[in-house]
Amino acid sequence: MTSDMSRRGVLQGAVALGTLGYGPAHADDARHAAVAVQPDNRVRKSMTAYIGTPTSRIDGRAKVTGAAKYAAEFNVPGLAYGSIVASTIAKGRIVRIDASEALRVEGVVDVLTHQNRPRLADNDSAYHDDVAPDGSPFRPLYDERILFNGQPIALVVAEDADIARFAASLVRVDYHEEAHVTDVHRRRDEAVPLELGKMFGPPQPRGTPEAALAAAELRHAGEYYVPIEHHNPMELYAATAVWEGGGKLTVYDKTQGVQNVQRYLCGVFDMKPDDVRVMSPFMGGGFGSGLRPQYEVVLAVLAARALERSVRVVLTRQQMYGIGYRPAMIQRIELGANSDGTLAAITHDAITVTSQYEDFHRQETGWSGLLYKSANAKYAHGLVKLDLPTSCDMRAPSAATGVFALESAMDELAVALKLDPLELRLRCYSDRDQTTDRPYSSKNLRDCYRRGADAFGWARRNPEPRSMRDGTELVGWGMATGVWEALQMSIAVRIVLSANGHAEVSCATSDIGTGTYTIMAQVAADMLGLPLDNISIKLGDSTLPQSPVEGGSWIAASVSNGIAATAEAVRNDLLRLAKRMPNSPLADAAPDEVALEDGKLVSRRDALRAVSIANAMRHGGADRIEKEEAITFAHEGPYAHNVHSAIFAEVKVDEQLGVIRVTRVVNAVAAGRILNTKTASSQIMGGVVWGIGMALHEETLVDHHFGRVMNANIAEYHVPVNADVHDIKVIFVDEPDDIINPLGIKGLGEIGIVGVAAAIANAVYHATGKRVRDLPITLDKLLG
Ligand code: MOS
């Protein structure tokens, strides 16, 4: 690893070897020492009592009864409450902060600013978390500089949350203001080009794209726009820093990565790992906004250390718009087609936005050349720096936006070719990763197209725009392809098996709402041959075995295979004990010949040769078996790993008013072996709802005069509500994969949104004959 890589920590070192959203295809570092987990499918396939079955969340009862505690719900005696004062200018510096009036309010304990705060680290690397982009990370309450509107500049701490918030309104701030820019359209010509083939940069070109485009039978070029969007998780960002005395802290933080936050806090406050434990047992939605440590945790810890007491900081809904966001993206796609409906060339140019201080971007353009067969492809990506906070990952970062443009452009090409849009996709179908020219470990997108189209009734589509009606409404049918990476990350899992047949399974991963608790329990129950109820799961605690942040849809595959590896170690220990029993029926059995089933060690050759776990442990004098295994995955193998989907959408558009309803969506997904069809369907359904929002509703509006978000609330930032969501059908196609990992698992937290906005935009075109290339598709754009 280069020093750059090690500075970035475990996560980026590993993701650098991914292919698209999280890393370039040809990452020039074969330095990731990886030991691939060996598939043992003979073992696995017989053991699926729970894996694959629709299982209700094991934490569901705790969540609906309120027993599940979130970061702002951990109460301790003497807790103080912090309220954030945010800057009202976008750029400049603080000249004076007058907290005297706030300090006079009864119940106010202190007002912390850059002038009176305790010491914070003074170098960028201390603030550089596992998923930080290049640049100089934001330092809350560090100095007088203002980098974005809404920046935290003071923390009012009081005995009560309402007093703190009231007193925060009394803090007076004088600024020296400087000119700011928050409008990507004003800066697009000054976008800084990203280097090709570098980490998160656009891929290298292939073939001779210019010549191929010039020679193409038919060309389509279009510019597409996706605005800034915010994650809007239901739970507000919050941290409760519990002062344990002697400088030690337990921090309950809303985060997708407790160990990332712990390392970060150790850097920022120069603390030792033993001095700070970070917990996040439950999370009310993250969607990427909690991959990096957010400033609430810095402020809570800062105040706790300053006051030597426990402090809680909760962001307001408005302040939730002062953290990361999905970068606005201007994209130009050009497709050259041969007359037979195959692709001759693809070019994809993108501009995305970031802050003035960090260069966040993903490989947004690479999806185009990956997905469809085309000998020629070329990419460009420029970064526009604005006076806003740094943009960040948001559900299917880069693909949700990049594939919107690609799949809109493919639809436009199909229209120009007078070809059914699904037929065009089939003619361009690729069985190889086009960017790296590798076969897939599995790719069953064909079945997604087939089964999705059947379920939707696609064959009955009249290709003519405006040809289908339902009363006063125009009916449109559109489709699109989705693609995401199937990533997996180094992870460790501990299992403690008790003689009574109960197992505790632990890992520092989060469950960001995806169902991680539940799938961990299902996998552990199957691998240990125990009933689901005998399994308890511990996660979201920095003291547990190592985990990356939960993101990139990589936790399900990673942690499940980690559980399988650790369960194997438990089995081996049990077998050693069983062999010592007098006349042991397993005396000659090799570990691989023995499975754990129904509370027993059982010979795979002869099911009558078995020893119960209880007997083996009793004879061996063991009341518990504790094992911890760490696994890594080979990233640069001969195969590409992706998940795919086919989305079919129906819209009904009121002809007079332009009101659009998404009446039906079928999303057919190929994502390897599905661990839990119930929670998996929920993930895809949630992704479709996000796609509806992206297509029709979501847009963060910045008043460029003030450089401030205008609609920083869920009344004016529109997300789909129940009335916007109609019939959604989720299909999982079979996609056996003996190569990717022993359990054949791919993740699916993110694929659900990819392609949905394009399918809806294409349906709107089919309904109305009007092509809207900038999102969201609001009725004024249809009527205008
Ligand atoms: Mo996801 S955007 O990696 O939480």
Side-chain angles (χ1 to χ4, degrees):
M1 278 198 172
T2 64
S3 58
D4 182 52
M5 291 294 291
S6 36
R7 182 170 56 84
R8 283 160 190 275
V10 185
L11 174 73
Q12 273 201 344
V15 296
L17 294 134
T19 49
L20 279 160
Y22 289 90
H26 290 297
D28 49 351
D29 36 283
R31 56 203 169 200
H32 184 76
V35 184
V37 184
Q38 286 309 308
D40 184 0
N41 297 291
R42 185 176 47 96
V43 183
R44 308 299 173 211
K45 276 170 186 159
S46 63
M47 304 172 65
T48 53
Y50 297 102
I51 292 177
T53 57
T55 304
S56 294
R57 288 165 189 262
I58 61 168
D59 52 331
R61 179 178 292 271
K63 279 186 169 172
V64 298
T65 57
K69 281 195 182 177
Y70 293 77
E73 296 181 322
F74 289 89
N75 292 322
V76 287
L79 185 65
Y81 299 80
S83 181
I84 293 165
V85 179
S87 85
T88 55
I89 67 163
K91 188 177 181 184
R93 54 191 170 78
I94 300 163
V95 174
R96 197 174 69 99
I97 298 186
D98 178 2
S100 53
E101 205 181 332
L103 284 164
R104 279 198 293 275
V105 175
E106 197 184 325
V108 169
V109 179
D110 202 354
V111 177
L112 293 170
T113 70
H114 67 279
Q115 288 166 321
N116 68 350
R117 61 161 173 80
R119 198 186 154 276
L120 287 167
D122 61 0
N123 61 92
D124 285 344
S125 63
Y127 294 81
H128 209 96
D129 72 275
D130 288 358
V131 281
D134 285 342
S136 179
F138 175 62
R139 305 175 187 180
L141 260 51
Y142 188 76
D143 59 21
E144 75 286 357
R145 284 181 312 150
I146 300 292
L147 300 169
F148 55 90
N149 205 317
Q151 173 180 323
I153 53 175
L155 186 76
V156 177
V157 186
E159 301 293 344
D160 172 284
D162 294 325
I163 291 173
R165 194 162 175 182
F166 168 67
S169 74
L170 302 177
V171 175
R172 303 282 167 247
V173 185
D174 295 333
Y175 302 98
H176 171 82
E177 205 171 342
E178 292 165 33
H180 64 263
V181 180
T182 52
D183 185 356
V184 61
H185 301 292
R186 268 184 59 196
R187 277 282 191 270
R188 62 180 293 172
D189 295 337
E190 289 146 65
V192 181
L194 297 173
E195 219 176 313
L196 297 179
K198 288 288 181 219
M199 181 149 60
F200 305 132
Q204 298 286 358
R206 62 175 181 264
T208 51
E210 283 92 354
L213 271 177
E217 195 80 23
L218 202 143
R219 292 158 71 161
H220 163 73
E223 185 174 297
Y224 303 85
Y225 180 67
V226 182
I228 290 178
E229 297 169 359
H230 274 85
H231 311 73
N232 284 301
M234 224 188 284
E235 184 195 6
L236 301 168
Y237 273 89
T240 304
V242 178
W243 182 255
E244 307 279 16
K248 286 190 191 292
L249 288 164
T250 302
V251 181
Y252 298 92
D253 185 36
K254 171 175 176 165
T255 177
Q256 293 174 237
V258 284
Q259 291 178 332
N260 187 28
V261 170
Q262 189 214 28
R263 278 190 289 273
Y264 172 81
L265 290 175
C266 287
V268 171
F269 294 100
D270 195 19
M271 286 190 284
K272 293 188 183 62
D274 280 350
D275 290 341
V276 54
R277 177 181 187 184
V278 179
M279 313 271 283
S280 179
F282 295 99
M283 196 178 182
F287 317 115
S289 60
L291 289 169
R292 300 186 66 187
Q294 295 288 7
Y295 58 71
E296 82 286 342
V297 75
V298 178
L299 298 181
V301 170
L302 187 74
R305 285 165 62 91
L307 303 170
E308 302 200 346
R309 67 184 279 190
S310 302
V311 176
R312 171 178 304 154
V313 173
V314 185
L315 266 56
T316 62
R317 182 55 66 180
Q318 187 177 359
Q319 287 163 355
M320 295 286 284
Y321 291 78
I323 57 177
Y325 50 89
R326 192 194 289 288
M329 185 164 172
I330 301 171
Q331 321 181 53
R332 186 176 185 281
I333 292 215
E334 187 156 3
L335 302 174
N338 305 310
S339 54
D340 63 354
T342 56
L343 281 172
I346 301 172
T347 67
H348 193 159
D349 297 357
I351 290 170
T352 58
V353 304
T354 187
S355 64
Q356 300 285 3
Y357 49 93
E358 284 177 311
D359 291 346
F360 175 82
H361 57 89
R362 294 292 179 222
Q363 201 195 81
E364 348 277 310
T365 55
W367 303 101
S368 303
L370 167 88
L371 187 54
Y372 296 118
K373 196 180 257 178
S374 170
N376 306 288
K378 187 165 80 85
Y379 318 84
H381 186 167
L383 206 52
V384 167
K385 295 175 89 68
L386 298 173
D387 297 299
L388 292 171
T390 306
S391 50
C392 73
D393 289 307
M394 180 162 138
R395 205 166 192 172
S398 77
T401 45
V403 172
F404 161 69
L406 172 69
E407 288 300 278
S408 295
M410 285 292 280
D411 198 67
E412 297 197 58
L413 185 67
V415 171
L417 286 164
K418 297 189 179 16
L419 201 60
D420 180 273
L422 174 55
E423 177 60 26
L424 174 63
R425 266 80 170 183
L426 291 170
R427 290 189 192 180
C428 302
Y429 196 90
S430 173
D431 285 311
R432 295 176 79 78
D433 171 332
Q434 290 284 294
T435 311
T436 60
D437 194 26
R438 287 180 299 174
Y440 290 99
S441 59
S442 60
K443 175 177 175 177
N444 201 0
L445 175 58
R446 271 187 212 285
D447 265 9
C448 297
Y449 288 137
R450 189 176 53 76
R451 289 194 52 203
D454 284 352
F456 187 83
W458 184 257
R460 297 194 306 276
R461 179 178 184 263
N462 181 333
E464 248 342 275
R466 302 182 69 88
S467 63
M468 294 166 62
R469 284 187 165 274
D470 178 5
T472 58
E473 289 177 308
L474 296 162
V475 176
W477 287 4
M479 60 84 55
T481 312
V483 57
W484 184 246
E485 306 178 80
L487 293 168
Q488 33 197 355
M489 293 291 176
S490 307
I491 201 162
V493 170
R494 182 161 57 229
I495 296 177
V496 180
L497 176 69
S498 308
N500 64 4
H502 182 273
E504 183 184 89
V505 181
S506 57
C507 173
T509 180
S510 299
D511 181 342
I512 62 175
T514 44
T516 307
Y517 277 105
T518 309
I519 57 113
M520 283 177 70
Q522 290 175 272
V523 173
D526 278 351
M527 296 299 128
L528 294 167
L530 297 173
L532 193 68
D533 287 346
N534 286 24
I535 309 292
S536 58
I537 302 296
K538 272 168 65 177
L539 53 70
D541 176 343
S542 62
T543 63
L544 297 176
Q546 176 270 323
S547 171
V549 294
E550 177 160 52
S553 303
W554 57 57
I555 283 295
S558 308
V559 78
S560 297
N561 285 288
I563 290 169
T566 311
E568 226 164 69
V570 169
R571 176 202 62 188
N572 295 349
D573 264 24
L574 281 169
L575 182 60
R576 271 192 286 279
L577 298 179
K579 279 175 186 285
R580 285 197 225 127
M581 291 168 63
N583 303 320
S584 172
L586 297 172
D588 307 324
D592 283 353
E593 294 166 24
V594 174
L596 285 168
E597 280 170 22
D598 297 330
K600 293 184 295 239
L601 286 153
V602 186
S603 163
R604 287 201 180 87
R605 296 186 173 164
D606 175 2
L608 294 175
R609 289 167 57 195
V611 173
S612 75
I613 291 174
N615 272 342
M617 289 179 76
R618 193 172 62 240
H619 279 278
D623 56 2
R624 57 188 278 165
I625 291 176
E626 178 171 338
K627 285 284 162 192
E628 180 174 330
E629 295 289 322
I631 60 165
T632 55
F633 300 88
H635 283 269
E636 286 214 323
Y639 296 95
H641 305 308
N642 285 83
V643 293
H644 294 89
S645 64
I647 305 102
F648 297 83
E650 176 185 86
V651 299
K652 293 190 177 174
V653 183
D654 184 295
E655 201 176 0
Q656 265 83 47
L657 302 176
V659 174
I660 306 164
R661 292 187 301 137
V662 181
T663 44
R664 287 196 298 138
V665 177
V666 174
N667 196 343
V669 176
R673 177 191 230 170
I674 305 304
L675 287 167
N676 180 341
T677 47
K678 189 171 183 178
T679 51
S681 294
S682 291
Q683 285 301 298
I684 301 303
M685 234 180 269
V688 171
V689 173
W690 275 69
I692 294 171
M694 184 177 173
L696 304 182
H697 310 292
E698 293 191 50
E699 178 173 26
T700 300
L701 295 163
V702 177
D703 179 332
H704 298 304
H705 181 74
F706 295 106
R708 184 186 306 158
V709 176
M710 288 190 279
N711 56 343
N713 57 73
I714 313 181
E716 293 168 284
Y717 181 107
H718 294 164
V719 295
V721 297
N722 282 350
D724 299 307
V725 178
H726 300 276
D727 187 18
I728 298 173
K729 185 178 174 62
V730 177
I731 295 168
F732 293 112
V733 306
D734 284 341
E735 195 178 59
D737 193 329
D738 291 347
I739 297 168
I740 186 165
N741 55 53
L743 296 179
I745 299 169
K746 297 174 173 181
L748 48 68
E750 292 173 291
I751 185 67
I753 185 178
V754 184
V756 177
I760 293 168
N762 296 342
V764 169
Y765 169 77
H766 181 240
T768 63
K770 186 139 190 169
R771 180 69 63 176
V772 180
R773 298 189 184 87
D774 64 315
L775 297 181
I777 306 172
T778 46
L779 52 85
D780 52 303
K781 293 175 189 170
L782 277 189
L783 296 176

